[in-house]
Structure formats: C-alpha cells, structure tokens
Amino acid sequence: MSETVNFIVKDKSFEKFAMMAILGSTGDAMDMKMNFFFTFWGLNLLTKKFRPKVAGMPTPMKGMGAKIFRKRMKKFGIEDPMQLIKDGVENGNLKLYPCQMTMDLMGIKKEELLDWVEEPVGAASFLEMSDGGRIVSL
Amino acid sequence: MSETVNFIVKDKSFEKFAMMAILGSTGDAMDMKMNFFFTFWGLNLLTKKFRPKVAGMPTPMKGMGAKIFRKRMKKFGIEDPMQLIKDGVENGNLKLYPCQMTMDLMGIKKEELLDWVEEPVGAASFLEMSDGGRIVSL
Amino acid sequence: MSETVNFIVKDKSFEKFAMMAILGSTGDAMDMKMNFFFTFWGLNLLTKKFRPKVAGMPTPMKGMGAKIFRKRMKKFGIEDPMQLIKDGVENGNLKLYPCQMTMDLMGIKKEELLDWVEEPVGAASFLEMSDGGRIVSL
C-alpha cells in the first residue's frame, strides 16, 4: 500500500478501542503505515489504567459488555488487543500520537500515558503528517 | 469519479442508516463505485428484520423519531431507503460487506442477513479493497 | 497541501464543534482548503443561537461541561471557536455548507442559519466537490 492511513480516535468506547486494535493489527500484518491520533475522550484509551466500556448497550451493561467481548475475542485468537497494537508499534508500522491540546484541556499528564506512545502533537502536526495520505475519523 | 469510496458503518442508528442510503443512492446516480463495510452495531442494519431508531433523541422518542423521519423522507420521494440501496447494488455500483469478525463475535448467522449483500469479509479484505480509494468512517 | 479536505459534520456535540473549530482554524493557518458539510444534527451547529453541549458526560453535566471546556480553551488563546472558523471563511480557505435535505427534513429555514455560511447543497454536490480530495466524517 502506498499511502499512510491516519486515524482520528475521538471516543473511549470499547467499540472504538476494538476497531483501532483490529484495523491496526491487520494493517501491521499487511505492512501498512498507520498513524493514530487520540483526541478528546479518545485520549483515555492511551492512559495506563483505563478500561473501555461498551457504549452501544444500556448503562448497567456497559462494563459487563466489554468483558463479554474480550472473552469472545480470545476465542478468535485476540488475547490482548492493546498488545497487538504494541507489536505493530515495535514493528515500526503503527504510531500512536496523543493530542497535545486534549492533554492540556483535560489535565492529563505524560506520565499517565502508556510508555510506548509517541510524543504529543497538535492539530497542525497531524494535518502535516497525514498530507498525501488518507484521514479516517473512527 | 476515479476513486472508490469505502464506508465503514459502525452503528445502527436511523441517522447512520439514512446517511448510508442517501450517500449510496446519490453515488449510484453518479455512477460512483462505493463499498460499505458493516462492523459492530452497524451490522444490524443488514439483518432482515431490523428497524433502526433515532439515536440523537431522548430515549422514549427514539422509535417514534424514526417513523417521523421516514414519513418526511417520503415527501421528498424517498419511499424506502433500503430499496434505493438495493437498486444501487443491482446496478453494480454499490457493494455491502458484512464484517466476518462481527458475525462471529455477535453470533449473527448468514441467513439472518439480507439476501443481496456480499459474502462476509475480514478487516484485511476491507483494507485491500479500499487501497487507492477513500475510506470514510460514517 | 494539494488536496481539499471535506468534512461531514453529523452531530451537534461540543466535542464535534471543538474538533471542527480546531481542525478548521489549523487548516486555515496552513492555507489548506477545507469544506464542511453539515448534515443531520450537525446542522444545528450552523444555527444562530445554538449552544453545543458536551456529549461524553453524564446528562446533568452536559451543559456545564461545555462551559468548562470553553473556559479552558480561552487559556490556550481560543476566545471564540466560531470566530476562528469565520476568519477562515473570510480568508477564503474554509467553506461551510448546510445540507439541503436536512433543512427540509427538520424544517430549518435559511434565516435561522449564520449569515456567512454557503448556500445549502445536496449530497450530489458534496460528492462532486470532494472528488479528488479527502472525505472525513467527523
């Protein structure tokens, strides 16, 4: 594939997390270059202890829903979605960028983020890095 | 138009359903090639008996909202949004792909899906078919 | 940048409003051409008196959340997000298009919209104007 795919991840649901993990690990397997830009609630997915919940379910089931999905994904060989992404980062195919302005607006500090993500960037850097490539807002 | 447009449909709201139908039927009229990839809750839109509800309304109005929108769309000549899509499929311009992993995760069987959709595909096939084209996550 | 970026804005949350404002004003500063197409609930963002609320918060905090975010954005030099967009329009870089069908479906009249947006267009015009460029559904 000739073009990078540049994803904007803007919410923190389990669904978004799973899509990110599946598209990312598939892209990695196909040796595609993918950038993920985490903004607004999406930034939560990059924090160390965050556990995403299923958005598209009634409130009392949102947490349970995520557990059920994780369990079912295991059956399809996906033990830990975040580990798949980390592998893609280590293979040099995926890059995960925290949005600097979101960190400022929400008061999230760099040490709260996973150690293996890139340095925070602003919207200008995101637009620059995605020039000539595709932009997909998940 | 030279490039395909590849839509990811990830939720089951009436709004998403209407956008899919309007973009799809417009694309068909313009002889554009469009692929729709239905994943997570979006897959519900491809099942035979599913009736989408309006997401952006208070809960007790979600079902009613969809009826009102359908009625108003009729006034603008849109009798049945799904039929418009089916026409586009028959014209060879639109293709609707169920996501294989979602079917597995949610236990949805092929016979529950509309008869005229394509065979289920995985994320790798979606990324391959959208290579060189545009990806839009609705 | 050689290609236009064509955004579909489909909901009315403060988050979507802020993303539109930040991407738009950044694009303007970089002299990129950006079209914004406002459809379904997103059209509310173009009406004169609408004040978006934060979607990703518990219901009683949705209104308050937007105030807090606006206050914090001021600290980062963003006094009025809509003014930034208007500047970009006046600079000739940004264009904001109301969706004609949404206006018809929701009974929104042209005089309810901000004075400085473009004439309403349909899906066909949107697909035409985005031909050869990128499409991002926010």
Side-chain angles (χ1 to χ4, degrees):
Chain A
M1 303 247 173
S2 44
E3 289 180 311
T4 61
V5 190
N6 305 277
F7 295 99
I8 301 174
V9 183
K10 57 192 183 289
D11 77 59
K12 62 183 178 183
S13 66
F14 182 81
E15 293 94 315
K16 228 41 91 64
F17 170 71
M19 285 183 66
M20 174 196 81
I22 293 166
L23 285 168
S25 61
T26 308
D28 176 41
M30 297 166 75
D31 244 342
M32 293 175 69
K33 304 298 172 200
M34 290 180 165
N35 297 312
F36 293 82
F37 185 67
F38 294 80
T39 184
F40 268 90
W41 312 109
L43 186 61
N44 287 285
L45 296 177
L46 293 193
T47 57
K48 275 166 190 155
K49 288 188 183 171
F50 185 73
R51 300 287 285 179
K53 294 178 181 179
V54 173
M57 278 185 157
T59 305
M61 294 180 62
K62 285 183 197 302
M64 178 66 97
K67 272 182 208 158
I68 296 171
F69 273 121
R70 277 181 196 274
K71 215 168 157 183
R72 290 193 196 158
M73 286 167 86
K74 264 189 202 169
K75 283 197 206 159
F76 297 99
I78 302 178
E79 275 291 319
D80 176 358
M82 211 42 147
Q83 183 60 45
L84 290 179
I85 292 294
K86 200 179 170 190
D87 292 346
V89 170
E90 282 165 6
N91 293 339
N93 286 323
L94 311 182
K95 283 180 193 298
L96 277 60
Y97 294 94
C99 165
Q100 180 65 62
M101 177 174 268
T102 302
M103 293 183 66
D104 294 340
L105 283 177
M106 301 209 175
I108 294 174
K109 296 200 174 54
K110 241 192 90 172
E111 50 273 27
E112 296 174 56
L113 302 180
L114 297 165
D115 298 323
W116 44 275
V117 303
E118 308 298 314
E119 290 294 306
V121 298
S125 303
F126 171 72
L127 287 172
E128 260 164 29
M129 82 176 68
S130 62
D131 188 27
R134 290 178 284 185
I135 302 176
V136 182
S137 180
L138 280 184
Chain B
M1 303 246 174
S2 43
E3 290 180 311
T4 61
V5 189
N6 305 278
F7 295 99
I8 300 173
V9 184
K10 58 192 182 290
D11 76 59
K12 62 184 179 184
S13 67
F14 182 81
E15 293 95 315
K16 227 42 91 61
F17 170 70
M19 284 182 67
M20 173 196 82
I22 293 166
L23 285 168
S25 61
T26 308
D28 176 41
M30 297 165 76
D31 244 343
M32 293 174 70
K33 304 297 172 200
M34 291 180 166
N35 297 312
F36 294 81
F37 184 69
F38 294 80
T39 184
F40 269 91
W41 313 109
L43 186 61
N44 287 285
L45 297 176
L46 293 191
T47 58
K48 275 165 190 156
K49 287 188 184 169
F50 184 74
R51 299 288 284 179
K53 294 178 181 179
V54 172
M57 278 186 158
T59 305
M61 294 181 62
K62 284 183 197 301
M64 177 66 97
K67 272 182 206 157
I68 295 171
F69 274 120
R70 276 182 195 273
K71 216 169 157 182
R72 291 192 196 158
M73 285 167 86
K74 264 189 201 168
K75 284 197 203 156
F76 297 97
I78 302 177
E79 275 293 319
D80 176 358
M82 210 42 145
Q83 183 59 46
L84 290 179
I85 292 294
K86 200 178 169 189
D87 292 346
V89 170
E90 282 164 7
N91 292 338
N93 286 322
L94 311 182
K95 283 182 192 297
L96 277 61
Y97 294 94
C99 165
Q100 180 66 62
M101 177 174 267
T102 302
M103 293 181 66
D104 294 339
L105 284 178
M106 302 208 174
I108 293 174
K109 295 200 174 53
K110 241 193 90 173
E111 50 272 27
E112 296 174 56
L113 301 180
L114 296 166
D115 298 323
W116 43 275
V117 303
E118 308 297 315
E119 291 295 306
V121 297
S125 303
F126 172 72
L127 288 172
E128 259 164 30
M129 82 176 69
S130 63
D131 188 27
R134 289 177 286 185
I135 302 176
V136 182
S137 181
L138 281 185
Chain C
M1 302 248 176
S2 45
E3 290 181 310
T4 61
V5 189
N6 305 279
F7 295 98
I8 301 174
V9 184
K10 58 192 183 290
D11 76 60
K12 61 184 179 185
S13 67
F14 183 81
E15 293 94 315
K16 228 40 92 62
F17 170 71
M19 284 183 67
M20 173 196 81
I22 293 166
L23 285 168
S25 61
T26 307
D28 176 40
M30 296 166 76
D31 244 344
M32 293 174 70
K33 304 298 172 200
M34 290 180 165
N35 297 312
F36 293 81
F37 185 68
F38 294 81
T39 184
F40 268 91
W41 312 110
L43 186 60
N44 287 286
L45 297 177
L46 293 192
T47 58
K48 274 167 190 153
K49 288 188 183 170
F50 185 72
R51 301 286 284 179
K53 294 178 181 178
V54 172
M57 278 185 157
T59 306
M61 294 181 60
K62 284 183 196 302
M64 177 66 98
K67 272 183 207 156
I68 295 171
F69 274 120
R70 277 182 196 274
K71 216 168 156 181
R72 291 193 196 158
M73 285 168 85
K74 264 189 202 169
K75 283 197 205 159
F76 297 99
I78 302 178
E79 275 292 318
D80 176 359
M82 211 41 146
Q83 183 59 46
L84 289 179
I85 292 294
K86 200 180 169 188
D87 292 346
V89 170
E90 282 165 6
N91 293 339
N93 286 322
L94 311 181
K95 283 183 192 299
L96 277 61
Y97 294 94
C99 166
Q100 180 66 61
M101 177 173 268
T102 303
M103 293 181 65
D104 295 339
L105 283 179
M106 302 210 174
I108 293 173
K109 296 200 173 53
K110 239 193 93 172
E111 50 274 26
E112 296 174 56
L113 302 180
L114 296 166
D115 299 322
W116 44 275
V117 303
E118 309 298 314
E119 291 294 307
V121 298
S125 303
F126 171 72
L127 287 173
E128 260 164 30
M129 81 176 70
S130 62
D131 188 27
R134 290 178 284 186
I135 301 176
V136 182
S137 181
L138 279 185

